[in-house]
């Protein structure tokens, strides 16, 4: 084949040819002031003539090109030419042999179908950054070449032009490896800061899941926690630190630790968020986070919550009806200057509540409310254990390993207990009217209740003693109305006394001559745990609990 008869249709070649055609001047028009052609003779007194591109021998140019060049012809892509760089990379090739046999390196890269496509369409195609058998990476550009009069799809040829991009490919791979290491570090940090094992309250069944973002997305700052407050109460928290990577995970860890510390104060949810708001500002004034904090009290059958810019809690009752805990909702943590407020939603026996982050419901192609509505529909039909419900919600939302955002879901159920299991959960209450007869009545009431619950003698006596001391403390330092409540679960006995005074008792050392100050010390000594908190009505509750012997 005469190589010089072929003209490569490289990008811009046809434009340059058209330009030469337009600017070429016919002999009879050279005196009309037109611009001389590129190959026109230069004036005798001008610089020496410069050879035009058309006068350069194509074979010599391609032989010296550092890129790999091969020319193949016909439907079988028979070799017409390979340059020196190609031969140095893959070895010499015999002209006339079909590419499938003589160019195995192109076949391994899947380039032969691309050659067919270029030959049929007459349009160039590019295959970026493919690693060849010589260990180097190349970007291949296949350009149609045709003789004069040939049309696309005819018996033409294809010029294969390969540029060595090994350095760029290795740099990109190093960058990807660095990003993978950073993501693995963030995931490890994130998982280490999340609770390794959820606390399981007596009255609730709880499960949670965390799904980090996919390989193309850095890990965010989603977190959740379950905190037993004592007295049968449980705090549940979920949050999302804005941002990605190690920084977001570190801020999340600080907020989660702070939540656990503030929860031990047994404050109302809105006061906990108020403290967190100030802490978030101190950690990083430019970092904000959303958070929902809720407290469950089995005696009230409600979930009291506060939200700092977080998505609404969803609650499904025993009939399958789903409600949103929309209000009140304040701005995210870290914004400052906002007074948060608490709300409540019913969570009776047979109910299920779901706390979640935006990765579960937020999609780029739909409104956020649509995502929450889809989650409501999924929750209304999700039954089974909390872990089963959790997994079903994640699957229904289409969350996969390559999801573009991390997801945290916390599911809690207040089971409706019946039969033998229901006998393990009992409540008894007595209104205390005050006066000298209040303490003896409280002791007699506690003794009768504990006897009916068939507690062992030693636990019966300790329960009556603790009741006597808590009631005496309330009679001396509290104000009406007063109430005694006894509660048993399958794991503990809880004794609680409420009154109308909001002054919280504290344990102190009583001197030998003191006539008071020993009641709380006695309770703290004999009970497994004790504590106090302010109640929404302006009073307080003082409680203690005893662990039941495992049968």
């Amino acid at each position: 084949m005469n190589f010089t008869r072929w003209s490569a249709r490289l990008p811009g070649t046809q434009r340059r040819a058209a330009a030469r055609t337009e600017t070429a001047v016919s002999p009879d028009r050279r005196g009309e002031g037109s611009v001389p052609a590129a190959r026109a003779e230069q004036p005798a007194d001008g610089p020496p003539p410069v050879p035009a591109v058309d006068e350069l021998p194509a074979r010599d140019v391609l032989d010296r090109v550092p890129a790999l060049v091969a020319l193949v012809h016909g439907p079988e892509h028979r070799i017409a030419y390979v340059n020196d760089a190609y031969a140095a990379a893959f070895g010499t090739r015999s002209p006339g042999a079909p590419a499938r046999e003589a160019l195995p390196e192109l076949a391994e890269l899947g380039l032969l179908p691309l050659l067919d496509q270029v030959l049929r369409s007459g349009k160039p195609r590019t295959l970026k950054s493919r690693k060849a058998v010589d260990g180097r990476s190349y970007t291949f550009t296949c350009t149609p070449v045709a003789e004069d009069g040939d049309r696309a799809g005819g018996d033409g040829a294809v010029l294969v032009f390969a540029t060595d991009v090994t350095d760029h490919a290795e740099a990109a791979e190093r960058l990807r490896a660095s990003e993978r290491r950073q993501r693995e570090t963030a995931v490890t940090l994130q998982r280490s800061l999340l609770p390794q094992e959820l606390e399981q309250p007596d009255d609730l069944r709880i499960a949670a899941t965390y799904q980090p973002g996919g390989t193309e997305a850095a890990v965010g700052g989603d977190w959740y926690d379950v905190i037993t407050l004592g007295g049968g109460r449980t705090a549940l928290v979920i949050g999302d630190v804005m941002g990605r990577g190690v920084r977001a995970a570190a801020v999340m860890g600080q907020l989660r630790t702070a939540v656990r510390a503030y929860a031990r104060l047994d404050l109302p949810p809105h006061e906990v968020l108020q403290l967190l708001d100030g802490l978030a500002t101190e950690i990083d004034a430019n970092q904000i986070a959303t958070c929902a904090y809720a407290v469950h009290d089995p005696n009230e059958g409600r979930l009291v919550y506060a939200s700092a810019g977080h998505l609404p809690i969803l609650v499904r009752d025993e009939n399958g009806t789903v409600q949103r805990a929309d209000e009140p909702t304040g701005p995210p943590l870290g914004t400052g200057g906002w007074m948060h407020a608490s709300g409540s939603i019913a969570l009776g026996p047979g109910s299920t509540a779901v706390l979640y982050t935006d990765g579960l419901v937020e999609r780029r192609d739909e409104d956020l409310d649509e995502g929450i509505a889809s989650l409501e529909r999924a929750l209304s039909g999700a039954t089974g254990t909390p872990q089963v419900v959790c997994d079903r919600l994640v699957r229904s939302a289409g969350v996969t390993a390559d999801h573009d955002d991390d997801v945290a879901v916390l599911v809690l159920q207040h089971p409706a207990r019946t039969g033998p299991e229901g006998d393990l959960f009992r409540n008894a209450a007595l209104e205390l009217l005050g006066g000298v007869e209040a303490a003896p009545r409280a002791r007699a009431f506690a003794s009768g209740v504990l006897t009916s619950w068939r507690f062992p003698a030693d636990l019966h006596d300790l329960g009556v003693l603790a009741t006597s001391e808590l009631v005496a403390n309330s009679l001396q330092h509290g104000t009406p109305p007063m109430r005694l409540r006894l509660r048993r679960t399958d794991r503990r006995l809880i004794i609680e006394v409420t009154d109308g005074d909001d002054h919280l008792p504290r344990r102190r050392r009583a001197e030998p001559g003191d006539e008071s100050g020993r009641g709380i010390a006695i309770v703290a000594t004999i009970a497994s745990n004790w504590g106090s908190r302010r109640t929404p009505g302006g009073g307080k509750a003082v409680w203690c609990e005893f662990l039941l012997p495992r049968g």
Side-chain angles (χ1 to χ4, degrees), residues 84-293:
D84 294 341
Y86 195 103
F90 300 119
T92 58
R93 297 292 187 266
S94 300
R100 187 170 299 278
E101 301 173 2
L103 301 175
E105 60 277 359
L106 300 187
E108 292 181 8
L109 293 172
L111 211 64
L112 298 187
L114 189 67
L115 295 176
D116 295 335
Q117 183 181 2
V118 171
L119 199 60
R120 288 194 305 268
S121 66
K123 297 180 180 179
R125 294 288 187 272
T126 299
L127 192 66
K128 294 185 177 180
S129 189
R130 292 296 178 92
K131 194 169 186 178
V133 293
D134 65 343
R136 309 289 293 178
S137 295
Y138 300 92
T139 290
F140 292 87
T141 299
C142 303
T143 303
V145 178
E147 277 190 292
D148 295 339
D150 280 353
R151 292 177 296 177
D155 189 18
V158 178
L159 184 70
V160 181
F161 191 88
T163 306
D164 190 336
V165 293
T166 304
D167 292 341
H168 297 284
E170 291 177 351
E173 180 57 33
R174 288 193 297 270
L175 178 60
R176 287 192 293 268
S178 175
E179 292 175 346
R180 285 194 298 268
R181 288 192 297 270
Q182 291 182 8
R183 183 179 182 277
E184 290 170 359
T185 300
V187 170
T188 302
L189 176 62
Q190 175 87 348
R191 291 195 181 278
S192 67
L193 294 174
L194 290 172
Q196 303 304 304
E197 185 176 352
L198 287 179
E199 298 181 22
Q200 293 294 333
D202 297 0
D203 295 274
L204 297 176
R205 295 174 183 168
I206 300 178
T209 186
Y210 171 73
Q211 175 70 51
T215 56
E216 300 299 327
V219 177
D222 292 15
W223 94 93
Y224 56 84
D225 209 349
V226 178
I227 309 164
T228 53
L229 303 177
R233 290 155 49 84
T234 306
L236 307 118
V237 59
I238 194 164
D240 185 2
V241 177
M242 301 302 160
R244 301 292 179 90
V246 175
R247 177 59 182 169
V251 173
M252 176 275 288
Q254 296 178 75
L255 291 178
R256 177 177 174 260
T257 302
V259 168
R260 295 192 70 87
Y262 296 148
R264 299 303 177 192
L265 301 176
D266 212 342
L267 299 171
H270 66 276
E271 292 189 21
V272 172
L273 291 189
Q274 209 69 50
L275 294 172
L276 277 179
D277 185 34
L279 179 65
T281 304
E282 294 177 6
I283 293 174
D284 188 344
N286 299 318
Q287 188 78 62
I288 63 174
T290 64
C291 180
Y293 181 90

Side-chain angles (χ1 to χ4, degrees), residues 272-346:
V272 172
L273 291 189
Q274 209 69 50
L275 294 172
L276 277 179
D277 185 34
L279 179 65
T281 304
E282 294 177 6
I283 293 174
D284 188 344
N286 299 318
Q287 188 78 62
I288 63 174
T290 64
C291 180
Y293 181 90
V295 175
H296 175 256
D297 189 337
N299 296 318
E300 299 177 359
R302 301 191 70 81
L303 197 65
V304 181
Y305 66 91
S307 176
H310 204 77
L311 298 174
I313 300 172
L314 302 183
V315 177
R316 186 192 67 194
D317 62 20
E318 57 184 346
N319 299 319
T321 303
V322 179
Q323 290 183 311
R324 292 189 194 184
D326 279 322
E327 298 293 342
T329 299
L333 303 175
T335 55
W338 181 269
M339 294 300 295
H340 292 275
S342 294
S344 68
I345 188 170

Side-chain angles (χ1 to χ4, degrees), residues 432 470-484 496-505 533-535 537-542:
L432 300 174
L470 291 181
V471 170
N473 179 80
S474 181
L475 290 172
Q476 183 173 358
H477 302 289
T479 59
M482 302 177 186
R483 192 183 195 197
L484 167 66
E496 182 180 81
V497 176
T498 60
D499 63 57
D501 186 84
D502 63 358
H503 179 72
L504 299 180
R533 71 179 187 278
R534 290 185 173 89
T535 56
K540 67 174 178 296
V542 185

